[in-house]
Amino acid sequence: MEFLSDEIHKYISEHTTKAPEYLNELERETWVKVIMPRMLSGHVQGQLLKLLTLMKRPKYILEVGTFTGYASHYLVEGLTEDGEFHAIEINEELESIIRKYWQKNLKSKQMHLHLGPAEIKLREIQKPWDFIFLDADKKGLLNYYEILIPLMPSGGIMLIDNILWSGKVVDKLSPNDKDTKIIVALNKRVAQDIRVEQVILSVRDGIMMVRKM
Ligand SMILES: C[S@@+](CC[C@H](N)C(=O)[O-])C[C@H]1O[C@@H](n2cnc3c(N)ncnc32)[C@H](O)[C@@H]1O
């Protein structure tokens, strides 16, 4: 299900600050060399991440599911000078492309890549995360949420991507697939969780913005 017409998408894209040229290059390389290139966030979502981190000025930022590292560049924009950015990615084949473009980032020394499954890495790197972008597999979503919320300080922000799942979360006609069921359960869990307040942003495939109370 498409929420907006192609024309509106084009309009949003044209009126949102463009990506720097080196990120356009990363996007092109991702489309040429990597399977499922559509997983890359793109400059509209990237710009949202950038503006939110610039407002929040987090010291500890976590990205779960980094893919080719595109969104990481936007996430680190608001990182404090003494801050740390950590990204978890299960696919080791993506390491060279992630590092190739991270090297071009002025904050590259503050950027740490952890290759391996999130379910293990999240237990190894425990920080008081001020800002989290949860964008990996759906299977582990509820588990990642429950591990991370207690680590966040009050006022910490978590963004969870793809929570409208192409509109399948409200599709009552066709039987729900496994991933849809997990996302529906996650959205319900967040909505009932007294530790947080939240809003769903209908940007791209839907982003759940959670603030720890
Ligand atoms: C949607 S992509 C991430 C896109 C990226 N955040 C961006 O905005 O450009 C999801 C990524 O999660 C990774 N992933 C899937 N399962 C994972 C797991 N269990 N642990 C860590 N990463 C995982 C995939 O390999 C993929 O690169």
Side-chain angles (χ1 to χ4, degrees):
M1 185 196 295
E2 267 301 324
F3 312 122
L4 303 170
S5 67
D6 289 349
E7 218 176 342
I8 291 285
H9 275 302
K10 188 165 171 277
Y11 187 84
I12 291 171
S13 174
E14 285 172 357
H15 292 78
T16 297
T17 303
K18 301 281 172 283
E21 189 41 42
Y22 81 103
L23 288 189
N24 290 334
E25 205 184 300
L26 166 57
E27 189 165 359
R28 283 193 291 273
E29 192 169 336
T30 300
W31 276 87
V32 171
K33 295 185 180 164
V34 182
I35 52 164
M36 303 207 355
R38 294 167 77 90
M39 291 204 292
L40 181 143
S41 275
H43 81 283
V44 173
Q45 190 159 308
Q47 195 59 24
L48 175 67
L49 299 176
K50 172 179 172 177
L51 295 187
L52 288 173
T53 65
L54 282 170
M55 282 188 264
K56 174 78 181 142
R57 300 288 287 142
K59 181 168 180 188
Y60 295 105
I61 303 180
L62 173 69
E63 182 181 21
V64 187
T66 304
F67 193 44
T68 53
Y70 183 91
S72 317
H73 295 271
Y74 284 100
L75 285 164
V76 297
E77 288 278 347
L79 190 66
T80 56
E81 277 178 23
D82 60 345
E84 296 175 19
F85 170 81
H86 294 262
I88 301 172
E89 173 52 54
I90 199 169
N91 185 353
E92 294 181 358
E93 288 175 12
L94 297 172
E95 181 174 9
S96 59
I97 188 166
I98 294 169
R99 292 202 189 280
K100 176 178 169 187
Y101 288 88
W102 275 18
Q103 269 169 26
K104 298 177 197 265
N105 194 296
L106 293 175
K107 296 192 170 163
S108 62
K109 288 200 165 57
Q110 294 169 269
M111 297 166 81
H112 308 277
L113 179 63
H114 306 268
L115 291 168
E119 44 275 38
I120 292 174
K121 294 293 163 188
L122 284 179
R123 307 236 177 237
E124 287 174 10
I125 39 160
Q126 301 216 337
K127 306 271 178 191
W129 305 113
D130 302 301
F131 200 98
I132 297 171
F133 184 38
L134 206 46
D135 194 18
D137 60 307
K138 304 307 163 213
K139 187 166 46 78
L141 206 48
L142 274 156
N143 184 29
Y144 306 154
Y145 178 81
E146 297 300 349
I147 293 172
L148 290 169
I149 289 289
L151 296 176
M152 292 166 68
S154 171
I157 297 290
M158 178 192 285
L159 301 176
I160 311 170
D161 203 10
N162 308 111
I163 53 85
L164 294 178
W165 208 230
S166 306
K168 288 185 194 165
V169 289
V170 292
D171 187 356
K172 292 193 175 64
L173 296 178
S174 60
N176 286 342
D177 58 81
K178 242 192 220 166
D179 284 344
T180 309
K181 280 185 181 155
I182 292 168
I183 294 166
V184 167
L186 185 271
N187 289 339
K188 193 172 168 193
R189 168 72 182 120
V190 176
Q192 293 175 345
D193 191 347
I194 56 166
R195 298 169 297 178
V196 303
E197 59 179 336
Q198 75 284 342
V199 61
I200 290 180
L201 308 173
S202 58
V203 175
R204 267 182 106 223
D205 199 19
I207 300 173
M208 176 73 88
M209 183 172 180
V210 180
R211 177 181 176 275
K212 172 97 176 274
M213 304 281 257

